[in-house]
Amino acid sequence: MSKLGVNIDHVATLRQARGTIYPSVLEAATICARGGAAGITVHLREDRRHIQDADVYGLKEALSIPLNLEMAVEEEIVAIALDVCPDEVCLVPEKRQELTTEGGLDVAGTLSSLESVVKRLRNAGIVVSLFIDPEESQIDAAVLLGAPVIELHTGTFCDASGVVADRELVRLQRAAAYAASRGLQVNAGHGIHMGNITSVMQVPHLDTLNIGHSIIARAVFVGLEAAVVEMREAIEGVGKS
């Protein structure tokens, strides 16, 4: 059964918009856990546009479920990760001007620069995941690096329609099957919402779906716990069918 990981970055976005101390990301994480989230994801960006250093430390200390830290391969952030020791880190590409992560990490093209970072994180006992596009070359590179987990970038599929969406779904399905055959845990994330979750669940071997924006947006209308429960039940319902 696939699990739900909830990204709570945009709880912090709301807080930072007014420079207040609320809403609390820790309270949000607690509510998500109560709703059945299997883990909490936060992205500590270089520009600290939403999640702050103190949030990461506080979540690691207080959470009763695993913490997944999304991060760029930047020494300042790597040092924080090594100090906090989250349960998992997901290495992602990052550009200052982007609204959200726009694509997968080019693992195949940056093997030499990633090797030492992945080794340091793994030596600290942190599970390393790589956020990649659904391409065999990127999966092979993840295996070479010794990263046990990949997170397939579903954004291209989720933003598409018609024949393009059909083609992107096949890419995801083939990539997931190939990654599983190489012994990798397969996660997925980006752009997933209630309108496309049934289609996303056609991708095989999915361990965890990390979903943020759509859950936080839905929470505006139904509350955070209800939004988490709604998505979790959708995932579980498709998995049982």
Side-chain angles (χ1 to χ4, degrees):
M1 185 69 69
S2 300
K3 301 186 290 290
L4 171 63
V6 179
N7 184 313
I8 58 172
D9 288 350
H10 294 307
V11 174
T13 297
L14 185 58
R15 179 193 63 195
Q16 298 304 115
R18 291 291 295 269
T20 58
I21 61 171
Y22 61 86
S24 163
V25 295
L26 180 55
E27 183 178 1
T30 301
I31 293 170
C32 290
R34 194 165 66 226
I40 296 296
T41 294
V42 293
H43 185 171
L44 185 64
R45 283 181 169 267
E46 285 186 273
D47 62 9
R48 308 304 200 272
R49 66 177 65 171
H50 38 56
I51 295 296
Q52 306 298 301
D53 299 27
D55 295 325
V56 181
Y57 283 91
L59 287 166
K60 174 57 179 176
E61 182 178 351
L63 273 180
S64 60
I65 57 176
L67 174 63
N68 172 37
L69 177 64
E70 289 187 354
M71 53 179 280
V73 185
E74 296 292 337
E75 185 54 38
E76 177 195 14
I77 308 298
V78 172
I80 292 171
L82 290 170
D83 191 39
V84 174
C85 283
D87 302 274
E88 182 175 328
V89 299
C90 184
L91 301 181
V92 302
E94 186 175 307
K95 293 186 290 186
R96 288 288 180 104
Q97 66 272 27
E98 67 186 0
L99 291 175
T100 185
T101 306
E102 295 175 347
L105 187 67
D106 182 13
V107 181
T110 55
L111 272 173
S112 58
S113 62
L114 286 170
E115 186 175 14
S116 64
V117 171
V118 171
K119 183 177 181 180
R120 289 163 65 196
L121 292 166
R122 294 197 68 190
N123 286 345
I126 303 169
V127 175
V128 177
S129 173
L130 304 172
F131 185 73
I132 61 172
D133 290 323
E135 300 171 359
E136 287 193 7
S137 61
Q138 301 298 341
I139 294 166
D140 289 337
V143 173
L144 282 174
L145 278 178
V149 183
I150 60 164
E151 180 169 333
L152 292 175
H153 175 233
T154 53
T156 305
F157 164 71
C158 291
D159 291 339
S161 60
V163 294
V164 176
D166 293 340
R167 182 185 67 218
E168 290 301 323
L169 180 58
V170 170
R171 286 183 71 211
L172 287 166
Q173 291 169 326
R174 289 175 175 170
Y178 182 67
S181 76
R182 298 299 311 271
L184 298 175
Q185 176 181 313
V186 181
N187 297 343
H190 208 77
I192 302 172
H193 53 73
M194 289 296 294
N196 59 33
I197 185 61
T198 300
S199 296
V200 172
M201 289 296 291
Q202 294 179 38
V203 178
H205 308 291
L206 292 179
D207 183 273
T208 302
L209 288 86
N210 290 310
I211 305 173
H213 182 262
S214 69
I215 290 177
I216 304 305
R218 179 66 172 155
V220 172
F221 301 103
V222 302
L224 183 54
E225 184 173 356
V228 171
V229 169
E230 184 179 69
M231 183 62 77
R232 176 180 56 77
E233 290 182 344
I235 292 169
E236 292 174 355
V238 175
K240 291 175 182 177
S241 62

